[in-house]
Amino acid sequence: MRASLQTWINDADMARHLGQLSVVALPIELAQIGNRLADFYISLVGELFDSIHSTNTPSDDWAQLGNAFLQFSKEIPAEHVEALGISKDEAALFAAASFYFGSYPASACLAMRQSTRPTDPQSPWAACYDFLARPGSLGSRTAIEAREHLRSGDLSGINDNVRMSANEAQRALADGPDTWVAMTLLSQLMARFEVSNVRAVLPDGVNEFWTPLVNSFIDRKPSSWEFFPSQIQAIEKGLLGNAESYSLQMPTGAGKTTLCETLLYWHLKRNPTHVAIMIVPYRSLASELRHSLVRQLNSLGIAARCAYGGTIPSGDEVHGLDHINALVATPESLAGILSADPAFAQRISLVICDEGHLLDSSGRGIGLELLLARMKARQINPIRFVFMSAIVPNIEEINAWLGGGEDTVIRSNYRPAIAEFSVLRSVGSGVGKSVRLDMHPHAEQRQYSIHGFLDRNTFQYVNSQTGRTKTYGFSSTKTLAVAAARKVLSMGTTAVFAANKRGDQGAIGLAEELIKQLDCPLPLPKPIDHADIDALRKRVDYLESEFGADWIGTKSLSNGAVLHHGDIPQETREVLEELLRDRRVQLVICTSTLAEGVNLPIRSLVLYSVQRRVGSGRPENMLARDIKNLVGRAGRAGANTKGLVICANPDQWWQVLPVATAGPGEPVTGSLRTLIEDLENYLRTQSIVLDNQFLEIQPASHPLIDGVDATLIELISEEIGDVEFLRLAAELSNHTFAAHQLPASSTATLRTVFELRAQRLIALRAVGRIAWLQSTGAKVRHLEFVEQGLLPSREDWAAPVDPASDDLLSAILEWAWLDAEFRSDTRVAFRLDNGQIPEWVKLRLFEIIRQWVRGATFLEIARSTQMDIDDILGIHTRVVAYSLQTLVEQGISLLARILMERGIEVNEGVSAFIEHLKFGAPSRSGVVLASGGVRHRKAYVALGNAIQAVPNLSQLSGTKAVARQSLENYSDGWRSALGELIYSNTLKDVGSVE
């Protein structure tokens, strides 16, 4: 781009920000912008048509042009634009065309929809509109033909359209400049479409094989006719053309999900008896994919399912697996399913590992690595791997580990919506203090500053009681972060990020700061003014009933802001995410949970802090790759044409800078390697010999041996001798990513661990206990714990028992309390100091769990225990929903197997306790409703209790049917009991509303 035009765009961008952000009048040096808008527009048009004929215009330049045109079509008042003789609709077309030529089709659609649809459907303007805006009903013959040629795979027809539009463009000047402009753009758009449309990119794209998938793309809203450059790059490098393993580094939002859908379609339609797995790290992402990718695959005739429960799969997750071809699962759920159904495991021929940087996760990375190694070790019909991540710099190393070659690594920097970076800087002091916003501090050609972004006037207000003018203190980064987020609300949905959830410097502290600011009438935008009040009211009522009116999350939403962090139950997070997704709320205060794969339309992201505090220790810097993953949420395809990232703490800008400049970030080495290195250091310093007793006593080694054991248990069988099994175990250790990286001495230590665990399993096989582990998925180290601890805790496990009875619950909790990890998690959840012992909170924890199983709400639990609601949420997330749930799942499953060996069948009430604990429902009917898809706990608890109160009612026509009938017959009562939001959602969940 010409330097003079770049300067003009920068100045116009600065002037636009000053206007949007209600900053003081334009500086005198920017006065020319307002006085020379027509000249600016003409220069942009000239650059557009010059760039059309250039073959090397950078995509970033195209994006800048598109956003500059958007100022005329969207932001400058219509009367002002029209007075200059500029058509807003023309500006919208030029913006959309710029985005399309830069390979930003989603932004092109968004920009084109800013204009009025032309009245003459056969005009070239209408053809451009239909082609770029993709309305549900096309009117233009050119656009209709392009779409139908795409449907049928008639690429020669598209070529005819391209030649015809080129010829018409040459003749169009005789009809006048307006027609020539539109025809010239249409001709170039068609030429671009000819090479980027999905049929042209797909291998043998004209084949009827692709027609169902192409039609599915076309019929979506908005209609999708092209692939992104990142997707094209992957397909052209053979992702769909061979059986080799691939690794892809693609930025957040670059179209990984659509690419995965295409790959799954290609693979499974060609191999209809095979299974393809997509591993995703988070339940939230799996839940989102259940409603998008899984639903789309099923509509294409590919039997797909989601699994994201615990380590022991539920009946629904393993039922009918012989008919399933595609499975989206978390690593824990997949590991359980593979152990439970070996035949299903043998059908797997493709594994897609999404968000693969989870390998470095201290808690779950080992499980993922060993799961991949376990599948990688299969010699007969080897599995193909496709590894994906937005932020792994050493992707080649991981690809080599998974069996890929030099030609099967794909790197892309393409983002469908560009990100702009900025940093807040305080200047002056006392009454002269102000805060400026430095834009593009990393890009010299584009740098400029918005002075007075925040100043003393921003924080002045009149005390309603005294009538005096006061100044709200604005020296803290927290105050400035919240104020900056409010300032940019007019630009679209804004997120304020905190690295921690709790404490004054966490997300909760930010929410409290927001409420504090709103209590003073500061002259800043209020989140409530950018929210849908009607939609808010139902959700606020919901939060009040679940958590109370005084909970900070309820207060935040009452004021138009969402509080989102990992301790908030998944049910509630989905309610809040829906508000953001539908843009009914435009301010969210969050932790990294919002960056865990969930696709939300965030326009601006304020980074309050990119340092995490662990306990009372010193703050730890976030990894650059984690910051990169986070900022990838700012500016989403189809929602925004660009995103804004504001670093609120200038002292932390150095941490954000590598991300802004597209630096590589830290390599992924895997937590297995880290653990082996730590183990070696400990053994060396303590002069300890490595053996199984040491491994099972040390809590730090439990993730290692649990993962190794689960991997080896799948291999062991009666047909394999001891020597051969030891050889296989040693060989399996060589398939890990850790072995791929470690020096020979450390690889030997890793091999020793595998061999030691193999010896442990050989000993268990000798006494007939391997089958117990294989059928239950339980941990080896829990065998004695269950047999010596849980088994004798009740006299008769076969006797009838209510799964929610206090007798059963007490026995299980007392047994669980003997587990050191459970007590350790309790210490962390209750935030006990080193001098405090978990025994002090044991009774309180047991009461929290007891009330949870009985169906009490979090508010009721908090009140009865006289604890803060956030403390209850933290305890529930860490201890009840994860630590205890996992322990109970494995303990009861193993208990049932032990008793079966003795000819005793454990009572169904004991087995049912697992799901009663999982769902927090006291009745069997409530559990049935919860496992059957009723999303709200309050609904399935209340409906379950009501159904249970009438003997044999649910057996007559099914629990869901009874629930639906009750909701419809007693609608007023249920609305009052559940609240409007839960009532309407539950009607959908039980099948009353499609």
Side-chain angles (χ1 to χ4, degrees), residues 528 531-548 553-554 557-558 562 571-572 575-576 578-579 582 584-585 936 938 975-988:
I528 197 70
D532 181 333
I533 302 299
D534 290 337
L536 225 58
R537 189 175 295 111
K538 294 179 185 178
R539 277 73 180 180
V540 170
D541 290 343
Y542 161 75
L543 293 184
E544 285 183 353
S545 69
E546 293 289 323
F547 312 105
T554 308
L557 194 61
S558 299
V562 161
E571 167 199 329
T572 305
V575 169
L576 299 175
E578 184 181 29
L579 283 173
D582 296 342
R584 298 180 185 276
V585 170
H936 293 294
K938 188 173 184 177
R975 274 194 172 91
S976 175
L978 300 177
E980 185 59 40
L981 176 72
I982 295 180
Y983 176 79
S984 58
N985 282 345
T986 305
L987 272 178
K988 297 175 186 176

Side-chain angles (χ1 to χ4, degrees), residues 279 331 334-335 338 366-375 711:
I279 303 174
L334 178 58
L338 296 184
I366 290 177
L368 175 60
E369 182 173 340
L370 291 172
L371 179 63
L372 293 175
R374 169 179 170 182
M375 294 186 286
T711 306

Side-chain angles (χ1 to χ4, degrees), residues 163-438:
R163 288 189 291 103
M164 188 182 303
S165 61
N167 292 333
E168 290 179 6
Q170 290 180 344
R171 297 192 298 266
L173 195 55
D175 296 328
D178 285 351
T179 303
W180 178 83
V181 165
M183 265 320 307
T184 299
L185 285 179
L186 180 61
S187 171
Q188 295 295 326
L189 290 169
M190 290 299 298
R192 183 87 179 187
F193 173 69
E194 185 178 19
V195 297
S196 65
N197 76 77
V198 293
R199 290 275 193 182
V201 174
L202 291 168
D204 192 19
V206 298
N207 196 302
E208 289 185 3
F209 170 86
W210 294 109
T211 299
L213 179 67
V214 171
N215 284 336
S216 173
F217 288 159
I218 292 172
D219 293 337
R220 294 176 192 178
K221 296 180 181 179
S223 187
S224 182
W225 300 2
E226 306 88 357
F227 282 122
F228 288 159
S230 50
Q231 298 164 331
I232 294 173
Q233 182 183 351
I235 294 171
E236 288 182 344
K237 288 201 71 172
L239 182 67
L240 305 180
N242 59 63
E244 291 186 60
S245 291
Y246 276 69
S247 291
L248 289 76
Q249 184 189 38
M250 296 171 61
T252 302
K256 285 185 291 182
T257 303
T258 298
L259 187 61
C260 287
E261 179 184 356
T262 306
L263 173 59
L264 290 168
Y265 177 88
W266 174 80
H267 183 80
L268 293 172
K269 285 294 186 179
R270 291 172 67 251
N271 305 285
T273 62
H274 290 203
V275 168
I277 304 291
M278 184 171 178
I279 303 174
V280 296
Y282 310 111
R283 290 186 180 189
S284 56
L285 179 54
S287 176
E288 183 176 270
L289 291 175
R290 180 166 60 93
H291 297 292
S292 55
L293 176 63
V294 170
R295 185 174 294 173
Q296 287 155 5
L297 289 173
N298 280 302
S299 71
L300 290 166
I302 296 171
R305 178 184 293 176
C306 252
Y308 49 94
T311 54
I312 296 180
S314 67
D316 289 339
E317 288 175 340
V318 296
H319 176 71
L321 281 176
D322 51 335
H323 300 298
I324 293 297
N325 297 107
L327 180 68
V328 177
T330 57
E332 296 81 7
S333 292
L334 178 58
I337 288 171
L338 296 184
S339 297
D341 193 335
F344 178 77
Q346 290 303 311
R347 291 171 53 214
I348 297 173
S349 56
L350 170 66
V351 172
I352 301 171
C353 182
D354 192 20
E355 306 283 346
H357 46 273
L358 179 68
L359 282 171
D360 261 358
S361 168
S362 59
R364 304 167 66 209
I366 290 177
L368 175 60
E369 182 173 340
L370 291 172
L371 179 63
L372 293 175
R374 169 179 170 182
M375 294 186 286
K376 179 176 174 286
R378 196 172 83 186
Q379 299 298 314
I380 301 173
N381 298 320
I383 293 172
R384 182 192 189 193
F385 294 91
V386 176
F387 184 92
M388 292 184 166
S389 174
I391 56 175
V392 175
N394 56 324
I395 199 85
E396 291 86 357
E397 192 174 12
I398 294 173
N399 190 57
W401 166 55
L402 291 173
E406 292 181 1
D407 297 330
T408 62
V409 173
I410 298 164
R411 288 181 177 276
S412 173
N413 291 321
Y414 170 79
R415 280 196 57 177
I418 63 171
E420 298 180 316
F421 289 83
S422 61
V423 59
L424 292 179
R425 295 192 186 277
S426 296
V427 293
S429 60
V431 295
K433 180 181 177 180
S434 66
V435 181
R436 73 172 190 258
L437 184 67
D438 288 346

Side-chain angles (χ1 to χ4, degrees), residues 620-635:
E620 297 177 357
N621 296 331
M622 287 179 61
L623 297 176
R625 65 171 189 247
D626 292 336
I627 299 174
K628 182 178 181 180
N629 197 35
L630 182 67
V631 303
R633 306 294 155 182

